[in-house]
């Protein structure tokens, strides 16, 4: 199995499936590797999967969700290893469990959106940052339930992903306003709630998300506005950063930037928002306080 082949599978999924996240695309790639690259032992299969994960880390895509999703996927399917005598049976069980895991992931976004629905009330003003698929779905569900609300979306430099989020909200008939990232402090006093997604959730209950989220959290806390994070549980990651420097560089920069060597002049893509700035996390496991995340991580990996 070649690194380039895995990268092509991964990037093809991202190209062809318009609304798939990098984490879900990574899981689909690992399933393809199990199905298409036949081996004779569990050790060889493990080796192939590890190579595939490493290859996807170097595809110039955000790594946070790829890392946590693949780690959880590997943990889930390898429970099968010692359950049966023959490798063929073992491989089939691993494949079956992998498909179950993927199906669970695909259902997660809808579950999270439904959890958040009661918190979007008629007439409320919501501030969101960047473009989160699960936040978008929650807002679309609220609009379908005939709730009237107004959304303020940050432009979210440097890739201006908030511009796309704004267009999608307007296309769905939701009243939305695009604002500058630097206007967060100015606009915050008018907001009722802050609703954001996350690229990763740390053991402490903090989040790793698009750069600018930390500033937004600080402004919300100062003005006593609730911050709701909508995220799937496969983004729960076994890392415990205490500050921005503790966040792994591979999470903060794309692979082509990392390979250039000097990061001192590079802008990070994500920042770390500590749990003190987060009110609740809406997940497919339920509505959690930040302090409950560590308990859920223990359950996921036991």
């Amino acid at each position: 199995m070649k690194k380039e082949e895995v990268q092509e599978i991964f990037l093809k999924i991202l190209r062809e499936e318009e609304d798939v996240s990098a984490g879900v695309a990574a899981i689909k790639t690992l399933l393809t590797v199990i199905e298409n690259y036949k081996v004779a032992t569990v050790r060889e299969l493990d080796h192939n999967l590890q190579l595939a994960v490493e290859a996807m880390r170097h595809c110039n895509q955000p790594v946070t969700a790829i890392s946590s999703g693949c780690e959880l996927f590997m943990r889930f399917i390898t429970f099968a290893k010692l359950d049966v005598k023959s490798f063929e049976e073992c491989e089939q069980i691993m494949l079956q469990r992998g498909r179950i895991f993927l199906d669970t992931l695909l259902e997660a976004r809808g579950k999270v959106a439904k959890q958040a629905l009661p918190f979007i009330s008629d007439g409320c003003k919501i501030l969101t940052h960047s473009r989160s698929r699960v936040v978008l779905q929650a807002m679309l569900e609220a609009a379908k339930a005939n709730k009237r609300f107004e959304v303020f979306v940050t432009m979210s430099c440097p890739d201006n992903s908030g511009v796309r989020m704004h267009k999608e909200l307007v296309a769905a008939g939701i009243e939305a306003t695009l604002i500058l990232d630097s206007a967060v402090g100015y606009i915050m006093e008018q907001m009722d709630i802050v609703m954001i997604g996350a690229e990763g959730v740390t053991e402490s209950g903090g989040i790793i998300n698009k750069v600018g989220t930390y500033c937004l959290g600080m402004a919300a806390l100062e003005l006593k506005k609730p911050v709701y994070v909508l995220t799937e549980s496969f983004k729960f990651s076994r890392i415990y950063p205490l500050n921005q420097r503790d966040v792994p560089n591979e999470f903060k920069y794309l692979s082509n930037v990392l390979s250039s060597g000097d990061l001192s002049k590079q802008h990070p893509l994500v920042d770390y928002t500590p749990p003190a700035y987060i009110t609740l996390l809406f997940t497919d496991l339920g509505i959690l306080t930040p302090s409950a995340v560590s308990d859920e991580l223990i359950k996921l990996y036991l």
Side-chain angles (χ1 to χ4, degrees):
M1 185 182 73
K2 293 179 181 177
K3 176 182 171 182
E4 293 76 16
E5 292 173 348
V6 175
Q7 289 176 332
E8 180 52 39
I9 294 166
F10 176 62
L11 294 172
K12 187 181 178 185
I13 292 169
L14 285 174
R15 280 195 307 270
E16 293 181 356
E17 300 182 33
E18 186 183 341
D19 212 35
V20 72
S21 68
V24 173
I27 303 303
K28 289 187 174 186
T29 304
L30 292 183
L31 275 172
T32 305
V33 168
I34 297 173
E35 286 175 336
N36 296 350
Y37 295 91
K38 295 302 178 185
V39 290
T41 65
V42 169
R43 183 167 180 169
E44 285 179 280
L45 182 57
D46 257 354
H47 180 66
N48 272 359
L49 292 175
Q50 295 290 354
L51 282 177
V53 173
E54 193 57 33
M56 287 185 284
R57 285 173 183 268
H58 294 86
C59 278
N60 226 32
Q61 294 290 327
V63 170
T64 313
I66 295 172
S67 177
S68 58
C70 288
E71 187 180 0
L72 198 57
F73 174 84
M74 301 273 279
R75 176 70 179 159
F76 186 79
I77 67 164
T78 51
F79 277 137
K81 281 184 185 174
L82 302 175
D83 295 348
V84 291
K85 291 179 181 178
S86 75
F87 172 71
E88 287 73 19
E89 286 178 85
C90 178
E91 187 179 39
Q92 285 306 308
I93 291 173
M94 290 170 86
L95 202 52
Q96 184 183 1
R97 290 187 179 187
R99 290 188 184 118
I100 291 168
F101 185 83
L102 179 61
D103 290 343
T104 305
L105 291 196
L106 296 175
E107 292 169 5
R109 199 182 296 169
K111 287 180 182 177
V112 177
K114 284 177 184 173
Q115 297 269 14
L117 192 57
F119 288 77
I120 300 175
S121 55
D122 267 324
C124 77
K125 291 184 176 181
I126 305 169
L127 177 60
T128 190
H129 181 53
S130 186
R131 179 183 183 267
S132 163
R133 294 173 182 86
V134 68
V135 170
L136 178 62
Q137 185 158 337
M139 290 175 177
L140 295 177
E141 293 281 343
K144 283 179 189 172
N146 296 319
K147 292 189 178 186
R148 299 185 67 183
F149 55 96
E150 188 176 357
V151 184
F152 290 78
V153 189
T154 59
M155 288 184 72
S156 189
C157 293
D159 64 355
N160 291 335
S161 51
V163 175
R164 182 179 173 190
M165 179 77 164
H166 174 257
K167 284 179 181 175
E168 288 170 328
L169 289 168
V170 171
I174 297 169
E175 190 176 349
T177 305
L178 191 65
I179 65 167
L180 294 170
D181 293 0
S182 52
V184 162
Y186 176 85
I187 207 83
M188 187 63 76
E189 64 185 31
Q190 302 172 38
M191 298 299 104
D192 295 301
I193 62 172
V194 176
M195 189 171 277
I196 51 178
E199 290 193 21
V201 181
T202 68
E203 282 191 53
S204 63
I207 63 166
I208 294 168
N209 196 39
K210 183 70 181 288
V211 70
T213 305
Y214 185 28
C215 296
L216 188 148
M218 286 192 285
L221 182 66
E222 181 64 27
L223 293 170
K224 297 179 175 56
K225 305 294 182 181
V227 176
Y228 300 138
V229 177
L230 279 59
T231 184
E232 304 96 325
S233 60
F234 77 85
K235 293 179 180 176
F236 286 16
S237 185
R238 292 192 295 177
I239 61 170
Y240 203 112
L242 299 176
N243 52 42
Q244 306 301 330
R245 285 173 298 176
D246 287 347
V247 178
N249 280 341
E250 67 169 354
F251 288 8
K252 292 191 279 190
Y253 307 100
L254 295 178
S255 55
N256 65 336
V257 175
L258 283 172
S259 60
S260 68
D262 182 20
L263 301 175
S264 60
K265 306 293 184 189
Q266 300 292 340
H267 289 287
L269 296 175
V270 298
D271 59 23
Y272 167 62
T273 305
Y277 300 99
I278 295 165
T279 310
L280 290 171
L281 293 108
F282 295 81
T283 77
D284 47 303
L285 303 175
I287 302 172
L288 309 175
T289 59
S291 58
V293 171
S294 57
D295 294 335
E296 294 301 328
L297 262 170
I298 290 168
K299 290 176 192 173
L300 286 171
Y301 283 95
L302 268 179

